């Protein structure tokens, strides 16, 4: 794999590791849940709050609470937490557990519902706390378990409407709210649960997608760095092997000169000398690879960098134009060959090749204060509904299956060429296979990764219409343009 190839494209993400990311759009929500330690801490906080509320209502406001019943319900929560604490000591409670989280949240809903039933039901203003367990479930549990928690709160709300003790109040007075008001409180509680849980669900889903995309970006960069390190090792090995190889060549020449009367020995010496020369050529090629590990190869001409990025995509039915212009007519500067820049530009060129009709332009403009690289294609352009969200993970309009069609066409052509013709029958000439540029499969991570890597190097990425403009004439393709601008010191090598 060359450094300009995509070591972790979206398609390889799907295929790698036995389909680890296969069908990611159909995966359920995260099932990691919360750790047992977190659940224990949250319940101790709830126990402290419930105990303090009962104490203040009894001792300060002199409300006639069913004290022993309330204390029994709180004691059940204490017993549950002590059991969880004992389990925490026997095992590592830092690992998230979705099933355990659902069980603990279900217990918390039932415990809070029992406490509310003893203290006024839906007349009690603390019934709002039923929203909390469902919100936690929506943010940390898969859809089925989160929905189960929501149904449990719904059942608890209906039960509290019909079955609850009177709201504790001051001695000699009784607070009895009308059923219509209690119905309104229950309806507001259910509405709050639904909207709060939906909001938490959406935020958690977006955070999960972003987390996966950022992890993918880190993996891409690590692979690029490993490739660069491997090339540096190869160059170092080439330098180290140069001395013993030179010794072998000197000895082989001596043997060849001294064995002029022995044809067999002279032939062996000539063979050793020939193979030594071949080894020297191979080592010379290895040492000339532009790798980051050697300071001499950490920089490259700007035109050479663009050619390196474009080269893997040549050979299809597309014309690539590579040009470097300087504002003052001076020679193009030498730039740092950063893995982030190589991979990011390669992904942008690949995207342009996927959508282009016939031509892709890669132009660089060097001014006194900046270096700007543009990748322009003559394809249909970026749809207006995609443009505002372009750069977010999993946003794509890439044509599906383009790589598969290209691979199928190449395999079919190879099979047709290798198959022997039937005797006595004239074979019909197979139609020429359509040349299709390979795509990354359409997961929507390619541009996100490229933008993240390029912005990490100090570049600013902008996207817009191509040569056709925002409103192209009839029959003229709109095209797409991606421009990356760096401050000149961020990319240029100091002379």
């Amino acid at each position: 794999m060359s450094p300009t190839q995509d070591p972790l494209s979206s398609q390889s993400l799907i295929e790698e590791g036995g389909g680890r990311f296969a069908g990611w759009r159909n995966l359920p929500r995260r099932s990691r849940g919360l750790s047992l330690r977190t659940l224990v801490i949250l319940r101790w906080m709830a126990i402290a709050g419930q105990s303090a509320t009962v104490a203040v209502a009894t001792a300060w406001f002199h409300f006639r609470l069913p004290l022993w019943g309330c204390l029994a319900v709180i004691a059940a929560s204490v017993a549950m937490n002590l059991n969880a604490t004992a389990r925490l000591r026997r095992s590592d409670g830092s690992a998230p557990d979705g099933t355990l989280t659902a069980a603990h949240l279900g217990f918390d809903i039932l415990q809070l519902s029992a406490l509310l039933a003893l203290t006024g039901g839906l007349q009690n203003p603390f019934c709002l706390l039923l929203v909390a367990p469902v919100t936690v479930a929506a943010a940390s549990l898969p859809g089925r378990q989160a929905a189960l928690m929501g149904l449990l709160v719904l059942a608890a709300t209906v039960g509290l409407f019909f079955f609850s003790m009177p709201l504790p109040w001051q001695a000699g007075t009784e607070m009895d709210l009308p059923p219509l008001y209690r119905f309104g409180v229950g309806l507001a509680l259910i509405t709050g649960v639904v909207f709060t849980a939906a909001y938490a669900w959406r935020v958690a889903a977006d955070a999960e997608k972003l987390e996966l995309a950022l992890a993918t970006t880190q993996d891409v960069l690590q692979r690029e760095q490993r490739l660069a390190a491997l090339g540096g090792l190869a160059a170092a090995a080439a330098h180290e092997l140069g001395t013993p190889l030179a010794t072998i060549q000197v000895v082989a020449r001596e043997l060849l000169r001294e064995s002029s009367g022995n044809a067999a020995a002279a032939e062996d010496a000539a063979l050793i000398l020939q193979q030594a020369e071949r080894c020297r050529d191979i080592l010379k090629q290895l040492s000339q690879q532009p790798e980051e590990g050697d300071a001499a190869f950490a920089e490259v001409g700007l035109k050479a960098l663009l050619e390196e990025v474009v080269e893997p995509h040549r050979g299809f039915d597309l014309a690539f134009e590579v040009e470097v212009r300087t504002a003052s007519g001076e020679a193009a500067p030498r730039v740092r060959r950063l893995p982030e820049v190589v991979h990011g530009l390669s992904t942008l060129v690949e995207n342009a090749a996927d959508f282009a009709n016939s031509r892709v332009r890669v132009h660089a403009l060097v001014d006194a204060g900046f270096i700007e690289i543009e990748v322009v294609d003559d394809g249909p352009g970026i749809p207006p509904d995609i443009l505002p969200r372009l750069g977010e993970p999993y946003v794509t309009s890439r044509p599906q299956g383009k790589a598969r069609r290209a691979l199928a066409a190449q395999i079919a052509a190879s099979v047709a060429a290798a198959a022997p013709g039937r005797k006595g029958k004239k074979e019909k000439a197979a139609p020429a296979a359509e040349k299709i540029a390979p795509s990354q499969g359409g997961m929507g991570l390619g541009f996100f990764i490229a933008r993240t890597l390029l912005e990490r190097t100090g570049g600013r990425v902008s996207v817009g219409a191509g040569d056709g403009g925002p409103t192209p004439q009839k029959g003229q393709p709109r095209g797409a343009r991606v421009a990356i601008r760096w401050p000149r010191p961020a990319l240029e090598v100091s002379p």
Side-chain angles (χ1 to χ4, degrees), residues 19 35 92 101 153 193 199 204 259 326 331 355 390 394:
S35 65
D92 181 16
T101 300
V153 169
V193 166
Y199 178 79
S259 59
T326 56
F355 289 97
L390 195 63
Y394 310 109

Side-chain angles (χ1 to χ4, degrees), residues 265-284:
E267 184 179 354
D268 292 341
L271 180 60
I272 293 173
L273 186 60
Q274 178 186 1
Q275 295 302 315
E277 288 290 346
R278 183 182 177 188
C279 291
R280 178 175 288 278
D281 292 340
I282 294 174
L283 294 178
K284 184 178 180 181

Side-chain angles (χ1 to χ4, degrees), residues 36 40 44 79-91:
L36 183 58
V40 168
W44 282 128
M80 181 72 172
N81 229 26
L82 291 177
N83 179 58
T85 303
R87 181 178 177 180
L88 184 61
R89 292 175 180 174
R90 294 193 302 267
S91 62

Side-chain angles (χ1 to χ4, degrees), residues 1 6-8 214-230 292 339-340 343 449 453 456:
M1 181 188 302
D6 188 357
L8 190 62
L214 289 175
T216 305
T217 305
Q218 289 295 118
D219 198 6
V220 167
L221 184 56
Q222 289 175 4
R223 292 190 181 198
E224 292 285 352
Q225 291 172 344
R226 284 197 296 268
L227 285 175
L230 184 61
E292 184 183 352
E340 298 94 327
H343 178 82
I449 293 174
L453 294 178
R456 179 177 295 182

Side-chain angles (χ1 to χ4, degrees), residues 106-387:
F107 172 82
D108 291 337
I109 292 173
L110 295 176
Q111 189 263 354
L112 182 58
S113 300
L115 195 59
L116 289 172
L118 294 173
T119 56
L122 295 181
Q123 300 181 83
N124 191 328
F126 288 102
C127 64
L128 183 64
L129 293 176
L130 286 172
V131 175
V134 184
T135 304
V136 174
S140 60
L141 293 179
R144 185 174 301 175
Q145 295 177 352
L148 182 61
M149 296 298 105
L151 291 176
L152 191 59
V153 169
L154 175 61
T157 303
V158 174
L160 291 174
F161 179 81
F162 291 103
F163 309 102
S164 65
M165 298 181 65
L167 180 67
W169 205 248
Q170 294 178 346
T173 60
E174 182 178 352
M175 175 66 71
D176 188 14
L177 299 175
L180 183 60
Y181 180 83
R182 290 188 288 114
F183 176 79
V185 171
L187 185 61
L189 178 61
I190 294 174
T191 304
V193 166
V194 171
F195 278 94
T196 306
Y199 178 79
W201 174 279
R202 183 63 185 175
V203 170
D206 289 345
E208 184 181 13
K209 290 180 181 180
L210 187 61
E211 180 183 355
L212 175 60
L214 289 175
T216 305
T217 305
Q218 289 295 118
D219 198 6
V220 167
L221 184 56
Q222 289 175 4
R223 292 190 181 198
E224 292 285 352
Q225 291 172 344
R226 284 197 296 268
L227 285 175
L230 184 61
L233 290 176
H239 288 299
E240 294 294 331
L241 291 175
T243 300
L245 189 59
T247 304
I248 293 175
Q249 287 181 308
V250 171
V251 175
R253 290 193 183 95
E254 291 292 335
L255 291 176
L256 183 61
R257 186 167 53 251
E258 293 178 359
S259 59
S260 56
N262 189 339
E267 184 179 354
D268 292 341
L271 180 60
I272 293 173
L273 186 60
Q274 178 186 1
Q275 295 302 315
E277 288 290 346
R278 183 182 177 188
C279 291
R280 178 175 288 278
D281 292 340
I282 294 174
L283 294 178
K284 184 178 180 181
Q285 292 178 2
L286 288 175
S287 63
Q288 288 178 348
Q289 290 297 320
E291 300 297 344
E292 184 183 352
D294 194 331
F297 303 123
E299 59 186 59
V300 66
L302 183 55
K303 180 72 175 291
L305 177 65
L306 299 184
E307 291 288 353
E308 178 185 354
V309 167
V310 169
E311 184 61 31
H313 308 285
R314 295 188 187 274
F316 301 99
D317 56 342
L318 295 175
F320 286 88
E321 299 179 10
V322 179
E323 181 185 2
V324 177
R325 293 184 292 114
T326 56
S328 57
E330 58 182 322
R334 295 183 65 81
V335 296
R336 297 180 180 86
R337 189 187 175 280
L338 303 174
E340 298 94 327
V341 174
V342 173
H343 178 82
L345 292 178
S346 181
T347 300
L348 296 180
V349 172
E350 182 178 355
N351 287 345
D354 274 353
F355 289 97
N357 293 325
S358 60
R359 185 166 59 99
V360 175
R361 292 191 298 108
V362 182
H363 284 193
L365 174 62
V366 181
D367 204 345
F370 65 86
I371 297 177
E372 184 176 81
I373 297 178
E374 285 187 346
V375 180
V376 185
D377 65 73
D378 61 348
I382 303 172
D385 59 326
I386 295 293
L387 188 58

